[in-house]
Amino acid sequence: RVNDIKNVLNVLYPDPPVPLNHTDKFTFLVAVVLSAQTTDGKVNDCTKVLFSRAPTPQLLSAMPVEEVQRIISPVGLAPKKAQYLVSLSKKILDDFNGEIPSNYRDLESLPGVGHKTASVIMSQAFGEPAIAVDTHVHRLALRWGLSKHEKNVDKVQQDLCALFDRSDWNNIHLQMIYFGREYCTAVSHTASQCPICSWVHTSKPVPSSFDHFPTQKRAKGIVYYSDRIAELHKDPSLTACSPVKTFSEYTCVAAATNTYLGSTADGEVSNKGRGKKRKNGVRGKVVLKAESVTKVKEEDDTMKVIKVEKVVGERRSKRIRTKKNV
């Protein structure tokens, strides 16, 4: 069951990017602290202003708490978080020579940094395998029967780490977050319409296709997988922990945006027409990995694929036609 879950997550969310905007380890730490009990979208809106003013511990430690609070006021618990940010900046300067600690003990000594935040920093900023348990990861672990601990997130983390290979931990954390936002939400969830809950507690086989599983209605402020990938391709500077790969390395996903990479030379692929059935019969969730793309030109919402040596994905048996020859 664990391998099946991992395989589904890998198909739906290959190479999951960090949803929080940042430029280095310090700004990533700030963004993670801000993300508690609020949406990543709100955090990204606030940090755009905050990081333009104070992108370093030196500058942030010198800002008045009231000014920091004013900037981050849209996020939850802003008064307390403003105090945390100024205090942790001072502690980083005083105790760690301006560098972000690379171990759990020192990270958790910083104001506003608990074990979950430290796990995120260790895994995504330092590459140390960890599964940080947030509300989505906790909910999914219980629903899928991967843990029985409803109130102890530390034990949930231990259960998940025991089930999944260490090399998968960092991806599993992000994949479960994206899955929890798009399919396995806290409310309005129907097990039969979920790509994992529909079979995980039954003898049913894993679906061979996920086209017929609907994603939940999108909520304001939530960062979704396909949107994040598109955002990072437009502006790679939004992340330091999830460097944007070239099209020859990266996985292009036709999830909510219906963006397709064509397997024919010099084909145009548009992400217009969300939710509409294409003339070639392709719609919904199609995961395509383009290998050995020699040239890609992006113009507005259209990608011109000059050459694709090989396209593999959910619809391996189907030739994915392009806009040009439809």
Side-chain angles (χ1 to χ4, degrees):
R1 180 175 62 180
V2 171
N3 283 335
D4 288 336
I5 290 173
K6 183 183 76 172
N7 290 337
V8 172
L9 294 175
N10 283 338
V11 168
L12 292 174
Y13 307 109
D15 300 315
V18 172
L20 295 170
N21 294 344
H22 59 283
T23 56
D24 55 19
K25 292 181 176 66
F26 173 71
T27 53
F28 184 51
L29 173 61
V30 170
V32 176
V33 170
L34 287 174
S35 69
Q37 299 185 40
T38 194
T39 65
D40 293 339
K42 284 185 179 180
V43 173
N44 289 341
D45 289 342
C46 291
T47 54
K48 184 176 182 179
V49 178
L50 182 63
F51 294 160
S52 69
R53 293 277 307 277
T56 66
Q58 290 85 353
L59 291 172
L60 187 52
S61 65
M63 286 186 68
V65 172
E66 297 76 16
E67 180 64 11
V68 176
Q69 181 179 333
R70 184 188 65 79
I71 294 173
I72 67 170
S73 59
V75 307
L77 307 175
K80 198 67 176 178
K81 288 177 181 178
Q83 296 176 13
Y84 286 153
L85 294 184
V86 174
S87 298
L88 72 81
S89 298
K90 292 178 179 178
K91 188 173 180 64
I92 288 171
L93 292 174
D94 295 340
D95 297 352
F96 304 106
N97 298 317
E99 299 294 329
I100 305 302
S102 58
N103 62 80
Y104 282 95
R105 185 187 65 181
D106 290 340
L107 277 171
E108 292 177 27
S109 73
L110 298 174
V113 179
H115 186 67
K116 184 191 77 173
T117 297
S119 295
V120 174
I121 301 302
M122 289 298 294
S123 63
Q124 304 302 330
F126 292 102
E128 180 69 21
I131 301 179
V133 180
D134 74 343
T135 181
H136 298 293
V137 175
H138 194 180
R139 180 176 68 256
L140 270 53
L142 295 176
R143 280 184 180 173
W144 298 344
L146 303 180
S147 180
K148 296 181 179 179
H149 300 287
E150 296 184 6
K151 297 183 179 180
N152 192 322
V153 294
D154 291 335
K155 290 186 176 180
V156 173
Q157 184 183 49
Q158 293 172 10
D159 290 341
L160 293 175
C161 289
L163 291 171
F164 292 98
D165 292 337
R166 182 179 174 85
S167 59
D168 296 324
W169 290 357
N170 292 357
N171 274 357
I172 286 292
H173 159 68
L174 291 170
Q175 288 169 330
M176 291 179 74
I177 289 175
Y178 284 119
F179 190 92
R181 291 174 178 177
E182 298 184 9
Y183 291 102
C184 214
T185 52
V187 296
S188 302
H189 174 261
T190 303
S192 62
Q193 297 181 353
C194 175
I196 292 180
C197 294
S198 59
W199 56 265
V200 73
H201 295 298
T202 72
S203 58
K204 296 178 181 179
V206 179
S208 59
S209 171
F210 306 104
D211 294 5
H212 61 286
F213 291 104
T215 55
Q216 297 292 328
K217 183 178 179 181
R218 295 199 163 204
K220 185 178 180 180
I222 304 297
V223 176
Y224 296 95
Y225 177 80
S226 58
D227 294 341
R228 183 59 173 170
I229 286 181
E231 184 178 42
L232 292 178
H233 275 304
K234 289 182 178 180
D235 188 359
S237 68
L238 295 176
T239 180
C241 295
S242 297
V244 179
K245 304 174 184 178
T246 63
F247 268 90
S248 60
E249 301 170 316
Y250 215 94
T251 302
C252 291
V253 178
T257 57
N258 273 350
T259 302
Y260 302 101
L261 274 180
S263 58
T264 58
D266 199 25
E268 292 184 357
V269 187
S270 173
N271 65 6
K272 289 182 179 179
R274 177 181 299 177
K276 296 181 180 179
K277 190 170 183 179
R278 301 289 181 133
K279 292 181 181 179
N280 57 7
V282 179
R283 64 174 294 180
K285 310 295 176 293
V286 181
V287 180
L288 301 176
K289 184 172 182 179
E291 298 179 353
S292 301
V293 177
T294 56
K295 186 177 180 182
V296 174
K297 181 180 180 182
E298 294 188 51
E299 295 178 354
D300 300 326
D301 62 352
T302 301
M303 292 180 294
K304 182 179 287 293
V305 181
I306 304 304
K307 187 178 181 182
V308 179
E309 296 294 340
K310 184 180 180 182
V311 174
V312 295
E314 182 63 25
R315 291 180 176 269
R316 291 185 180 86
S317 62
K318 281 204 173 189
R319 181 179 182 84
I320 307 301
R321 297 182 180 181
T322 61
K323 184 178 178 182
K324 183 176 180 180
N325 59 10
V326 168

